[in-house]
Amino acid sequence: MPNGGSQGGRLVFVRDENHNSSLLDWSYKRIRRVVKSSSAAETIQLSECVDLAIFCRELYCEILALTEKPRIICVIDSKDLFLSLNSNKGPEEKRLRLEIASLKECITEENVKVVWKPGSEQYADCLTKLGSNPIML
């Protein structure tokens, strides 16, 4: 963003079993609160993205009268966040513990999977990082 601050970008796709996909939503904006680290910003952004993905999945299932809910797969580039979601140790920042607990609950209760990939393989990087190549989109 022109005046700095923590920002987040997301892309939400629906994909079939043949890996054909369509973009449902994209966003690039300042995150909702001031944070102490980029890891905190990524945690908050993932939490918002999971909420949106669950909403889209519920709508999709209702429209198509599906009884089995498809899995939501979130691809992130924050190794710290990925490790936090897969360990029993909470983050140092106490406010983030609620976000991490909420995400862990979604992983178990809402059939959400979080996958780590390096930043070079992230489609949304061109929304938040100056000089990123948008050709992957």
Side-chain angles (χ1 to χ4, degrees):
M1 299 201 128
N3 56 355
S6 298
Q7 64 267 342
R10 72 168 178 248
L11 302 169
V12 177
F13 293 92
V14 64
R15 185 176 82 177
D16 67 13
E17 61 277 348
N18 297 321
H19 300 286
N20 298 312
S21 59
S22 293
L23 182 64
L24 290 180
D25 181 73
W26 71 271
S27 173
Y28 168 69
K29 63 180 181 176
R30 182 179 305 274
I31 61 170
R32 66 178 185 247
R33 69 176 172 90
V34 176
V35 293
K36 297 178 183 177
S37 66
S38 60
S39 180
E42 296 204 14
T43 302
I44 291 169
Q45 187 64 19
L46 177 60
S47 182
E48 289 183 7
C49 193
V50 167
D51 286 346
L52 175 65
I54 290 170
F55 170 76
C56 290
R57 180 184 63 191
E58 295 298 321
L59 189 61
Y60 178 79
C61 288
E62 188 172 324
I63 290 170
L64 297 178
L66 299 178
T67 55
E68 187 175 330
K69 295 179 183 178
R71 172 173 265 181
I72 293 170
I73 301 172
C74 300
V75 182
I76 61 172
D77 65 352
S78 172
K79 191 77 163 188
D80 290 338
L81 175 54
F82 181 75
L83 294 173
S84 290
L85 291 171
N86 292 294
S87 76
N88 293 329
K89 185 180 177 205
E92 293 293 322
E93 192 177 335
K94 294 194 185 332
R95 288 179 76 181
L96 279 185
R97 292 182 185 179
L98 293 172
E99 298 284 352
I100 293 289
S102 174
L103 287 166
K104 284 182 176 183
E105 186 176 311
C106 287
I107 289 168
T108 57
E109 305 284 325
E110 295 289 343
N111 198 17
V112 174
K113 180 179 181 180
V114 178
V115 177
W116 177 82
K117 288 194 177 186
S120 60
E121 297 180 30
Q122 291 294 321
Y123 295 146
D125 263 9
C126 65
L127 298 175
T128 60
K129 294 179 179 70
L130 188 62
S132 292
N133 189 354
I135 199 70
M136 287 178 64
L137 287 176

